[in-house]
Each structure stands twice: as C-alpha cells, then as structure tokens.
Amino acid sequence: MPTNQTNWQALAMTALQLFSYPFRIFFLSVTVLALLAIPLWVLQVTDTVALPLAMPGLFWHQHEMLFGFLSAAIAGFLLTAVCVWTQTERTHGVRLMLLWAVWLAGRLLLALGADLPGWLVQGVNLAFLPLVMLDASWRIWRAKQIRQLMILVILGLLWLMQIGFVTTYAPTFSSGALIMAMALIGVIGGRITPAFTTAWLRQQGRNGDAVSTSPALDRALVFNMLMLLASLIIGWHNVTAILALTAAALMLVRLVGWKGWLARAEPLLWILHLSILWVPVALMLLAGSLLFGWPTSAWTHAAGTGAIGGLILGVMARVSLGHAGRPLILPSGMVAAFVVIHLAALVRVLTAFTALPWHAGIGISTLLWLLAYGAFLYRYTGILASPRADGRPG
C-alpha cells in the first residue's frame, strides 16, 4: 500500500509539473499526436484499420496535422513566449489543464465521434484556437506590444481557414491554412532564427553583425502572404502562382541575410534555417502546381513535413531545454532526428512526383517521421516532466 501511494504521489507530481508551463504539456502532446496520427492515417488509407472517424479519412488526416498538431505546437510556443515578451505571469495549473482538455477533446471526438452530432465535434475543435488567441491577446494588449498583433491576425486567419475546412471540406481552405502556417513561420522564424544565430556567433567570438535583417523585407513578405491567401480564396490561379513565386523570392533573400551556413556547426540553429528553407521550396512547388500541373501533394508535404514538421521539432528541442533551465546542448540522438525529419520530407515530395513507388514512399517517409518524433519523445519526456534544473518556477 505505501508503494502504491508513493507511485500515485509521483504521478501527481509529474502531472503538476507538466501543467506548470504551456510548453511542457503541449510539446509532449504534439509529439504523441505526431506518433499516432500519421501511422493511423496510413493504416486507414490502406484499409488496415477502420476508425469511427467523425469526418472522411483524408480530411481527418489533413485536419489533424493542420489544426491538431500545428495548433498544439502554436499553443506551446506562443503561450510560453508571450509571457516572456510581455513579462506577465505564465498560464499554468487549472487554467492550462482546461485549455489542454479542450484540445484533447477535439482529438478524441474527431477520431471516435462518427455517431456524434457534427455541431458538437466541430464546436469543440473550433474552440481551441480562439482560446489560445484570447490568452495571448490580453497579455499583448496590457503590455501595449503592437508588434505582436500580426501574429494574432495570422492566427485569426488560420482559424477562419479551419471554419471553412470543417464546414465544406474544400481543399482551398486546407491550402489556405498551409499558407497561413508558412506566414506564421515567416514572422516568428524571422525573429528567432536570426536573433539566435547572431547570439551564437558572438558567443563563439565571431562576427554576429554578419547576420542581417530588414524590417521592410519582413513586412513585404507578410503582406505578400496575405495577398497570396486572398488570391487563393478568390480562385485567381495565375495571380496566386505569381504571388507564390514572389513570396518564395522574398523568403530566400531573408534566409541569405541570416547566414545560416555560418551556424552549420550548431544543430539547434541549422535545423531552424533548413526547416524555413522548405517554405520557399513549397511556394515554388505551389506555383508549379498551378502553372504546370505539378502534383498538389508535393507542395503541401514540402510545407507540412519539411517546413512545419521540421521547424516544430527544432523549436521544441530548443525551447524545452532553455525553459527547463538546462544548457542548450542537444541530447544524444537528436541530430539524427533532425536529419531524418528532412529526409522524410524529401522522400514524401519525391513520392508525389512518382520518383518513388507510392506505397514504398509513404512507408519510408512515415518511418522516418516516426523515428524523428520518437527520438524527441524518448529524449525529452523526462525534461518536460521534471522541475527546472535551475530551481526556478515553471
């Protein structure tokens, strides 16, 4: 009996720790979903299993990666970062538990809710992003940080894409969500990547001023991505293609200015640069799909697996160490995880172009994805579930 009591106490302490900061529970949840949703989709599409899904299998897969996986990653990063930006008390405890419960309920209802009313399933799923935005917006408003409002605008548009998707299943809205995800990468990645690279170069005694940024270029990219979304929704395919190529060029110019090759010795940095490089690749593939009939799945998986999947893995690896009070030293095996997540993206894009047989390509890319996120789960669960190494709260 004492042993059982001790076990329950340890479990309760772990749970409390996971809900002590948003990045802890949401990064762990992102990883578990990444390891479950992709293989379940493969089993579903190959008729190996038949889940009681609340929407058709393909749409469930698209929704869970765009609005389950991505939204949880956004919550983990944004609700952690915004507390630092605004110097406000972190979201934790019961309030964080309730927010996470909404996210979890959405996943369960979509996976198992075939016989449930659609309004219930979709209502719960549509509630999550507004709650995240509400938590972030009041902090930003109180701190009068106008600079952060563009993040909320992009999240609001991402939410509108979710509404359109769950009510119509139209591919326009899933494509629009990917464009907004890449816009978010452009904004947040455009802040953290050059800043981290500059700081690292200076720590190494090198010239941090070699990294250059341009606020005008940053604004031009965001405006271009918003126009890209508008043209996509309207259905101006030629205009969409031109805007996609323009956005790709702007993103490439920014990446060149950030000098990612100077940080090639630091995996926590090159993973950010390499993941963001998939954004212009995806945009060029999008233009090719509109102008030349290239397969749509090429650009969607370049964006989804390469840019989103790679950047989420890299950001989680860094944020989890920094906010857990640990040195920014990657645990063993994580460099290999960074490599294989990008191999997964490459294989999936090649499969879309039939350079690889479909079943083999899907199988290989799925295995590589699982290896990457499995490594994170193995190496970071203890970090996420343990108190800060420096003894500070959170």
Side-chain angles (χ1 to χ4, degrees):
M1 185 67 109
T3 301
N4 289 337
Q5 184 177 3
T6 301
N7 290 340
W8 279 109
Q9 288 175 340
L11 185 62
M13 290 300 295
T14 299
L16 287 174
Q17 191 60 47
L18 284 173
F19 289 100
S20 66
Y21 225 121
F23 78 92
R24 294 182 179 274
I25 187 60
F26 279 115
F27 286 179
L28 184 60
S29 300
V30 163
T31 308
V32 172
L33 182 61
L35 293 171
L36 290 177
I38 297 296
L40 282 175
W41 154 241
V42 172
L43 293 173
Q44 184 83 14
V45 78
T46 56
D47 296 323
T48 306
V49 299
L51 293 171
L53 302 176
M55 60 175 59
L58 175 61
F59 302 124
W60 173 79
H61 167 65
Q62 292 173 341
H63 185 279
E64 287 308 89
M65 300 316 294
L66 283 170
F67 306 111
F69 174 77
L70 175 61
S71 293
I74 290 171
F77 174 81
L78 182 62
L79 299 185
T80 297
V82 79
C83 297
V84 178
W85 297 340
T86 60
Q87 297 297 301
T88 52
E89 176 64 22
R90 70 192 188 279
T91 300
H92 65 289
V94 173
R95 190 166 65 176
L96 180 56
M97 288 181 189
L98 292 174
L99 180 63
W100 177 76
V102 172
W103 177 85
L104 179 62
R107 313 286 63 75
L108 296 175
L109 288 173
L110 277 178
L112 306 172
D115 297 326
L116 295 175
W119 62 264
L120 174 63
V121 175
Q122 305 310 345
V124 172
N125 273 282
L126 289 172
F128 181 69
L129 268 178
L131 290 173
V132 172
M133 289 187 286
L134 183 64
D135 188 293
S137 62
W138 78 264
R139 300 171 189 278
I140 291 170
W141 179 260
R142 286 182 58 187
K144 296 181 172 56
Q145 292 190 357
I146 306 301
R147 180 172 179 249
Q148 317 299 351
L149 291 179
M150 183 49 65
I151 294 175
L152 298 178
V153 170
I154 294 173
L155 287 181
L157 291 170
L158 180 65
W159 184 57
L160 290 179
M161 294 303 100
Q162 184 183 16
I163 294 173
F165 182 79
V166 301
T167 54
T168 69
Y169 296 152
T172 297
F173 295 108
S174 58
S175 296
L178 276 173
I179 288 171
M180 285 301 92
M182 290 190 287
L184 194 63
I185 288 172
V187 173
I188 295 179
R191 295 181 186 178
I192 65 174
T193 305
F196 291 164
T197 304
T198 298
W200 182 81
L201 287 171
R202 287 174 177 163
Q203 288 171 2
Q204 301 299 308
R206 298 164 65 185
N207 180 21
D209 293 334
V211 177
S212 62
T213 59
S214 168
L217 195 60
D218 297 345
R219 289 191 294 269
L221 177 67
V222 172
F223 177 76
N224 192 280
M225 295 297 283
L226 295 178
M227 293 303 99
L228 175 59
L229 176 66
S231 68
L232 179 80
I233 298 298
I234 293 170
W236 293 341
H237 289 173
N238 290 338
V239 174
T240 301
I242 293 170
L243 288 170
L245 291 173
T246 305
L250 291 170
M251 193 68 247
L252 284 172
V253 172
R254 296 173 88 215
L255 281 165
V256 169
W258 300 346
K259 306 292 193 302
W261 57 89
L262 298 178
R264 61 187 178 274
E266 175 49 71
L268 284 169
L269 290 175
W270 66 247
I271 183 64
L272 304 182
H273 290 271
L274 184 57
S275 299
I276 296 172
L277 182 59
W278 278 103
V279 171
V281 171
L283 290 168
M284 287 186 281
L285 291 172
L286 168 58
S289 73
L290 295 170
L291 296 175
F292 310 118
W294 294 355
T296 301
S297 60
W299 86 264
T300 58
H301 286 93
T305 307
I308 297 172
L311 192 65
I312 285 175
L313 188 65
V315 168
M316 291 197 308
R318 185 185 183 97
V319 170
S320 298
L321 293 173
H323 282 276
R326 296 170 182 262
L328 294 179
I329 301 172
L330 269 180
S332 175
M334 285 306 298
V335 174
F338 289 171
V339 172
V340 299
I341 192 63
H342 290 290
L343 287 177
L346 180 61
V347 169
R348 189 62 185 85
V349 171
L350 291 175
T351 303
F353 281 104
T354 67
L356 292 170
W358 191 83
H359 281 93
I362 293 295
I364 293 169
S365 61
T366 298
L367 177 61
L368 292 170
W369 174 276
L370 294 177
L371 287 172
Y373 277 89
F376 183 89
L377 184 69
Y378 178 66
R379 289 299 182 186
Y380 276 84
T381 297
I383 294 172
L384 294 171
S386 301
R388 284 182 61 109
D390 55 10
R392 293 169 56 189

